[in-house]
């Protein structure tokens, strides 16, 4: 979404609100397409003493898979982003300053990039997820498995001594 900020460019104290939806269903993330629902985006550009400050929030519900137990679950995700807008750079490149092109800024591209970068690389169905047994695959969240716990190989000699008694 291209936003024209020229109406507030020379008007300190003025604001310009925006709101739109993004479709990120085509974004592959770790072999899955988690953003099957639209990403809601809402923001504001504020002229403060001649400086344009952009702030936005983007949120949706993602289709996630727990990295410990493999359970599918829904995850609420929200990211925030803010930057300064300028017609020209006075210093070298800065990640906090976005250049305007003919008084316009692509807030859709900014929101898309920030949302994708803000996605979690590891997802858990709950903070205390216990995962799966590496031997039998039992879900430890449901209960313990029947696998016999293997002794620590460093204690093998001690275990042999105990077996002989």
């Amino acid at each position: 979404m291209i936003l024209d900020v020229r109406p507030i460019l020379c008007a300190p104290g003025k604001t310009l609100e925006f709101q739109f939806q993004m479709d990120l269903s085509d974004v592959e993330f770790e072999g899955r397409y988690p953003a099957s629902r639209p990403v809601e985006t809402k923001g504001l550009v504020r002229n403060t003493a001649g400086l344009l400050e952009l702030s936005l929030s983007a949120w949706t519900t993602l289709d996630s898979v727990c990295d410990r137990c493999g359970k599918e679950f829904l995850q609420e995700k929200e990211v925030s982003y803010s930057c300064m807008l300028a017609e020209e750079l006075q210093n070298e490149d800065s990640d906090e300053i976005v250049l305007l092109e003919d008084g316009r800024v692509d807030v859709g591209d900014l929101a898309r990039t920030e949302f994708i970068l803000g996605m979690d690389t590891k997802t858990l169905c709950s903070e205390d997820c216990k995962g799966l047994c590496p031997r039998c695959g039992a879900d430890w969240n449901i209960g313990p498995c029947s696998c016999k716990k293997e002794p620590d190989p460093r204690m093998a000699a001690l275990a042999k001594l105990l077996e002989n008694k």
Side-chain angles (χ1 to χ4, degrees):
M1 175 187 164
I2 305 296
L3 183 66
D4 187 353
V5 297
R6 288 179 290 190
I8 66 166
L9 200 55
C10 297
K14 296 287 183 179
T15 60
L16 184 61
E17 294 181 13
F18 58 90
Q19 185 174 353
F20 60 95
Q21 289 184 339
M22 293 186 292
D23 178 16
L24 298 181
S25 61
D26 62 332
V27 175
E28 181 183 353
F29 198 76
E30 296 184 356
R32 298 183 52 85
Y33 296 88
S36 63
R37 294 161 192 80
V39 178
E40 302 290 333
T41 307
K42 190 174 189 176
L44 175 78
V45 178
R46 173 178 285 126
N47 185 328
T48 307
L51 295 174
L52 293 182
E53 181 183 358
L54 178 140
S55 58
L56 65 82
S57 290
W59 65 94
T60 193
T61 302
L62 298 173
D63 300 319
S64 299
V65 175
C66 181
D67 287 325
R68 286 189 188 155
C69 70
K71 176 182 164 189
E72 293 184 1
F73 67 102
L74 298 178
Q75 178 187 26
E76 299 294 322
K77 183 66 181 173
E78 181 173 357
V79 297
S80 298
Y81 175 73
S82 63
C83 67
M84 301 301 287
L85 302 176
E87 292 183 284
E88 60 184 47
L89 284 179
Q90 295 172 349
N91 297 334
E92 295 296 316
D93 291 336
S94 172
D95 292 340
E96 296 176 7
I97 299 174
V98 174
L99 282 177
L100 295 171
E101 294 179 24
D102 297 322
R104 296 179 181 92
V105 62
D106 188 349
V107 292
D109 185 50
L110 293 174
R112 178 183 175 91
T113 301
E114 195 62 28
F115 193 84
I116 292 170
L117 290 175
M119 291 177 71
D120 300 322
T121 55
K122 182 172 182 139
T123 56
L124 299 177
C125 60
S126 68
E127 287 290 324
D128 59 344
C129 178
K130 297 173 184 167
L132 304 176
C133 174
R135 280 184 229 104
C136 69
D139 188 344
W140 286 338
N141 295 308
I142 296 172
C145 64
S146 59
C147 291
K148 183 179 178 186
K149 189 173 183 179
E150 289 187 22
D152 186 335
R154 297 172 293 180
M155 301 291 188
L158 183 59
K160 282 186 180 181
L161 288 174
L162 293 174
E163 286 176 9
N164 293 336
K165 289 190 175 193

